[in-house]
Amino acid sequence: VTAEGDVFYASPTVQEYVGFHQTAVMHQPVYELIHPEDRSEFQRQLHWALDPLPLSNTGHTGHGRNCDVVTRYDPQQLPPENSTFLERNFVCKMRSLLNSPSGYVALNIEGRLKYLHGQNKRAEDGTLLPPQLALFAIATPLQVPSILEIRTRSVLFQTKHKLDFTPVACDTRAKIVLGYSEVELCMRGSGYQFIHADDMLYCADNHVRLMKTGESGLTFFRLLTKQNVWIWVQANARLVYKNGQPDCIIAKQRLLTDKEGIDHFQKRT
């Protein structure tokens, strides 16, 4: 994470812990992923002396980039890169698309501040800025997932949509379960074309709830596979924000048996 608070890199395993695909996290403001209560502490950990400008004094609203107020430092004014003073170990809550009741998961962040080279950023006068410190760390959940959770994740698949629910991407497991390639899934327009007619109004109501609250809640419906077979899924969709505005929808879906699906349908009706 850069001094400005942008996620410079995230490993592919980020999806296993918080549900977001690697590409949905990289080059995005980290504060949009962090719980509001933890944003000030995260910003403090990014500062070499643990003493940044307070968020309240910078106009930071919890969304967007903080680059305009980040102080640039000459490396000669800072502790050596191998100094223990630059080591970091702290806990913060990050947004999760997985089955977390609060919508967040507590992570232990352990690493150190190191210089991020090759950025070639320039000051207002056009002079080349020296490399700045960034947080290089490993994030691990405070609560290790149970065997049941690990097994459940193996039948989970994820799709990404525009705000009108048009598909724009899917993961490998979605391609296996549904049978479509990513191009086939995205070229047909509205995602409602894949939903059973008896489930459309129900799904539309939850879509409205999603746009109002940021989360759809658990939704049980049928999807049409490439083999023209209807499969039951349990889905939970969340809004993803970019620069403080809704940017896209990420839907996490779990395959159900026909009996499970019919049971939920009967409860609905």
Side-chain angles (χ1 to χ4, degrees):
V1 178
T2 68
E4 294 88 349
D6 289 332
V7 180
F8 181 75
Y9 175 77
S11 69
T13 52
V14 67
Q15 186 170 352
E16 298 298 322
Y17 293 102
V18 296
F20 290 100
H21 191 272
Q22 177 188 29
T23 56
V25 173
M26 287 174 55
H27 309 299
Q28 300 301 320
V30 73
Y31 299 111
E32 293 187 356
L33 299 170
I34 302 299
H35 193 284
E37 294 176 355
D38 296 336
R39 288 171 186 162
S40 294
E41 175 61 18
F42 198 98
Q43 190 205 28
R44 194 176 77 91
Q45 296 289 340
L46 288 177
H47 190 268
W48 71 273
L50 299 173
D51 188 26
L53 291 171
L55 289 177
S56 58
N57 292 343
T58 65
H60 195 311
T61 61
H63 293 297
R65 286 171 170 77
N66 208 25
C67 54
D68 293 338
V69 296
V70 172
T71 305
R72 308 288 181 175
Y73 292 99
D74 184 331
Q76 295 181 352
Q77 300 174 324
L78 301 178
E81 192 175 22
N82 61 357
S83 168
T84 57
F85 195 67
L86 299 181
E87 293 177 356
R88 295 291 183 265
N89 193 339
F90 61 101
V91 174
C92 74
K93 296 180 289 295
M94 184 172 287
R95 285 188 66 193
S96 173
L97 294 176
L98 303 178
N99 295 329
S100 170
S102 67
Y104 291 87
V105 60
L107 298 175
N108 184 74
I109 313 291
E110 184 173 5
R112 63 182 302 111
L113 298 181
K114 299 172 64 175
Y115 289 109
L116 184 60
H117 296 275
Q119 299 305 289
N120 297 323
K121 293 187 177 180
R122 296 184 178 275
E124 291 182 0
D125 60 5
T127 57
L128 192 65
L129 291 169
Q132 297 296 302
L133 289 172
L135 176 64
F136 290 75
I138 293 175
T140 53
L142 285 185
Q143 186 172 358
V144 179
S146 66
I147 297 297
L148 178 60
E149 286 178 297
I150 293 172
R151 286 177 178 170
T152 300
R153 288 179 190 177
S154 66
V155 291
L156 288 173
F157 62 94
Q158 182 172 285
T159 51
K160 180 180 179 181
H161 305 258
K162 295 179 182 178
L163 298 181
D164 64 1
F165 210 64
T166 300
V168 293
C170 65
D171 64 11
T172 303
R173 280 176 286 199
K175 298 173 190 175
I176 295 171
V177 173
L178 300 175
Y180 303 102
S181 68
E182 191 167 77
V183 172
E184 291 171 329
L185 192 66
C186 300
M187 69 184 294
R188 293 176 58 175
S190 173
Y192 284 96
Q193 295 187 45
F194 299 95
I195 296 175
H196 195 283
D198 291 341
D199 300 326
M200 279 192 182
L201 288 177
Y202 162 73
C203 288
D205 286 343
N206 283 4
H207 188 184
V208 171
R209 181 197 301 175
L210 166 70
M211 299 308 297
K212 288 181 177 179
T213 68
E215 184 172 357
S216 67
L218 289 181
T219 309
F220 305 90
F221 61 99
R222 283 157 287 190
L223 283 174
L224 185 64
T225 69
K226 189 175 181 179
Q227 291 75 35
N228 286 317
V229 175
W230 292 104
I231 59 170
W232 282 97
V233 296
Q234 168 192 301
N236 188 26
R238 288 201 172 113
L239 280 180
V240 176
Y241 292 84
K242 186 175 182 180
N243 297 329
Q245 297 297 321
D247 178 62
C248 65
I249 296 169
I250 300 292
K252 202 80 176 179
Q253 285 138 140
R254 182 170 73 87
L255 189 61
L256 300 176
T257 65
D258 286 343
K259 183 180 183 305
E260 289 174 318
I262 292 169
D263 286 345
H264 285 291
F265 180 76
Q266 290 174 341
K267 290 176 185 176
R268 188 206 312 169
T269 56

